[in-house]
Amino acid sequence: MKLILDDSKPIYIQIAEGIEDDILNDIVKEGEQVMSTTQFSQVYGINPATSRKGLNILVKEGILYKKRGMGMFVKDSAKDYIKEKRRKNFFNEYILETLKEGEKIGISKKDIIDMIIGYRG
């Protein structure tokens, strides 16, 4: 996981998204333990409260769970949950925004679809 400390995105959000990315990329699997707040603090040179905040976001979402005295672990079905959450975000943040912008500048939905299909990047 890579944190960009001077990025405009808060570090605790980067931690939460980084763990999600690691789960999606099978770097950390369901049932496995993730780094502790102390480990995050030592590895990345950040305040333990910041790393705790990032981990707690994932606990609240049901992606991680705490084992008292042992640490945080990836919940079963976390990968499916993350995929579904990101699909919804993708639709809302990219697709809907693209359609709205296209409408503002006179590009039809069909033209946008044709652009995507014809993209060779």
Side-chain angles (χ1 to χ4, degrees):
M1 176 185 325
K2 184 177 179 181
L3 298 179
I4 304 170
L5 300 179
D6 62 350
D7 193 8
S8 62
K9 187 179 287 189
I11 295 169
Y12 70 94
I13 298 291
Q14 291 182 52
I15 289 170
E17 289 177 353
I19 293 170
E20 287 182 352
D21 287 344
D22 286 351
I23 294 167
L24 290 174
N25 293 320
D26 291 322
I27 294 167
V28 180
K29 295 181 178 25
E30 293 174 351
E32 290 184 349
Q33 188 172 9
V34 298
M35 286 196 313
S36 69
T37 56
T38 303
Q39 289 171 317
F40 270 108
S41 300
Q42 292 171 346
V43 170
Y44 296 106
I46 58 175
N47 187 311
T50 301
S51 54
R52 188 175 307 109
K53 192 171 181 179
L55 291 168
N56 283 336
I57 288 171
L58 299 178
V59 170
K60 287 178 186 173
E61 288 188 36
I63 293 169
L64 299 181
Y65 65 95
K66 298 176 187 180
K67 280 189 182 178
R68 189 176 190 109
M70 296 186 68
M72 302 272 198
F73 293 80
V74 179
K75 194 172 182 179
D76 290 342
S77 75
K79 190 172 182 176
D80 289 336
Y81 174 84
I82 295 165
K83 283 181 181 180
E84 184 58 30
K85 178 179 88 166
R86 289 199 177 182
R87 279 185 186 110
K88 288 176 185 173
N89 287 342
F90 180 81
F91 179 77
N92 291 329
E93 293 176 19
Y94 298 99
I95 304 300
L96 285 181
E97 289 305 313
T98 299
L99 293 172
K100 287 177 188 176
E101 184 65 19
E103 198 173 288
K104 287 181 207 172
I105 60 175
I107 301 174
S108 71
K109 291 176 188 175
K110 182 190 178 315
D111 288 341
I112 291 171
I113 292 167
D114 290 344
M115 287 178 191
I116 294 169
I117 291 171
Y119 177 71
R120 305 250 187 256

